[in-house]
Amino acid sequence: DVKVTQSSRYLVKRTGEKVFLECVQDMDHENMFWYRQDPGLGLRLIYFSYDVKMKEKGDIPEGYSVSREKKERFSLILESASTNQTSMYLCASSFLQQPRGRRSYEQYFGPGTRLTVT
Amino acid sequence: QKEVEQNSGPLSVPEGAIASLNCTYSDRGSQSFFWYRQYSGKSPELIMFIYSNGDKEDGRFTAQLNKASQYVSLLIRDSQPSDSATYLCAVAPSNTGNQFYFGTGTSLTVIP
């Protein structure tokens, strides 16, 4: 079974703090993703990575950065937390889509981190 | 226009009925389509994926894809109260590498 784990289920931080969210997957997936999910807005992609040390901006990268030093680990960093970053943060992973290769590249999600910034 | 659109619901069906969830997408070149189930307070869980036109069945779930009309649907037969959740449609467009576009989800309630 695919296993994606996240470092915390619930986190409470103060405005201005630096926040680290960690995600680890054990399926040797190339791709890893960070989303946030807010009521009425659905899942929004923050950043994704298709390889170690590689990263691509998603739809809402402002105020966030990421780090991928090892294939299995993808970290999301809030440089200076603000109240509008209170949200559910979801990590996901998948195999890399290949033009003529494996077609099974569904994304698997971790349990999520509910972050509250006060 | 959103890339993926779903009716937000809520959709209510009696226990034992068929629940029908629909999703339309804008990128005609999209190749892969996914349905996720998300219980309140939990993360999305993959139910099914479909790549080819037509139907794909897995137990009580059937995914239907019509690329010409750009819609994908999920049918849940013999609906159970445990099927009450939000169902997310996800589409892998043709030109964005490995990103998915997610709909905002349809809330389903199965009434005992």
Side-chain angles (χ1 to χ4, degrees):
Chain A
D1 275 354
V2 175
K3 187 114 179 169
V4 182
T5 58
Q6 295 184 228
S7 49
S8 305
R9 289 287 282 123
Y10 300 95
L11 209 51
V12 180
K13 295 292 182 181
R14 294 197 181 275
T15 302
E17 280 193 83
K18 192 168 186 176
V19 182
F20 293 87
L21 303 180
E22 284 215 316
C23 176
V24 178
Q25 52 92 7
D26 67 356
M27 276 299 293
D28 202 32
H29 284 163
E30 295 90 356
N31 292 331
M32 296 189 75
F33 307 83
W34 275 107
Y35 296 90
R36 63 177 284 178
Q37 187 175 35
D38 302 286
L41 297 178
L43 281 164
R44 291 182 291 169
L45 181 65
I46 304 171
Y47 270 98
F48 75 98
S49 169
Y50 54 88
D51 200 355
V52 175
K53 297 193 185 295
M54 304 305 291
K55 62 184 179 184
E56 295 284 344
K57 291 180 180 179
D59 300 318
I60 51 163
E62 296 79 18
Y64 304 94
S65 61
V66 290
S67 172
R68 192 163 181 203
E69 297 297 319
K70 294 186 178 182
K71 188 176 184 179
E72 68 272 18
R73 190 179 298 269
F74 192 34
S75 300
L76 180 69
I77 303 150
L78 286 66
E79 297 290 344
S80 177
S82 63
T83 55
N84 63 13
Q85 292 178 310
T86 292
S87 186
M88 169 72 95
Y89 288 87
L90 291 159
C91 175
S93 69
S94 75
F95 287 117
L96 186 70
Q97 178 185 2
Q98 302 288 350
R100 289 190 177 85
R102 185 193 302 125
R103 298 184 72 191
S104 177
Y105 54 97
E106 59 272 20
Q107 294 184 18
Y108 293 92
F109 286 85
T113 296
R114 174 76 63 183
L115 172 67
T116 302
V117 182
T118 61
Chain B
Q1 182 188 5
K2 292 183 180 178
E3 289 83 2
V4 179
E5 301 220 33
Q6 296 180 255
N7 289 329
S8 60
L11 174 66
S12 294
V13 300
E15 184 173 353
I18 296 175
S20 178
L21 304 160
N22 299 313
C23 171
T24 59
Y25 59 93
S26 59
D27 182 353
R28 185 170 287 278
S30 297
Q31 297 293 319
S32 308
F33 308 85
F34 305 82
W35 283 101
Y36 288 83
R37 177 177 61 200
Q38 187 173 23
Y39 293 114
S40 180
K42 302 294 186 181
S43 61
E45 170 193 11
L46 181 72
I47 301 175
M48 292 187 71
F49 55 85
I50 186 167
Y51 300 136
S52 304
N53 273 327
D55 294 359
K56 179 182 179 182
E57 189 173 314
D58 184 0
R60 295 187 296 112
F61 299 97
T62 299
Q64 299 177 317
L65 175 61
N66 184 325
K67 289 187 177 180
S69 299
Q70 295 175 240
Y71 83 78
V72 57
S73 61
L74 180 70
L75 301 178
I76 307 174
R77 289 184 302 281
D78 188 24
S79 295
Q80 301 296 309
S82 59
D83 294 326
S84 298
T86 296
Y87 290 80
L88 303 175
C89 171
V91 175
S94 55
N95 63 349
T96 59
N98 293 265
Q99 294 182 63
F100 286 5
Y101 288 124
F102 284 86
T104 53
T106 299
S107 174
L108 171 67
T109 300
V110 179
I111 303 166

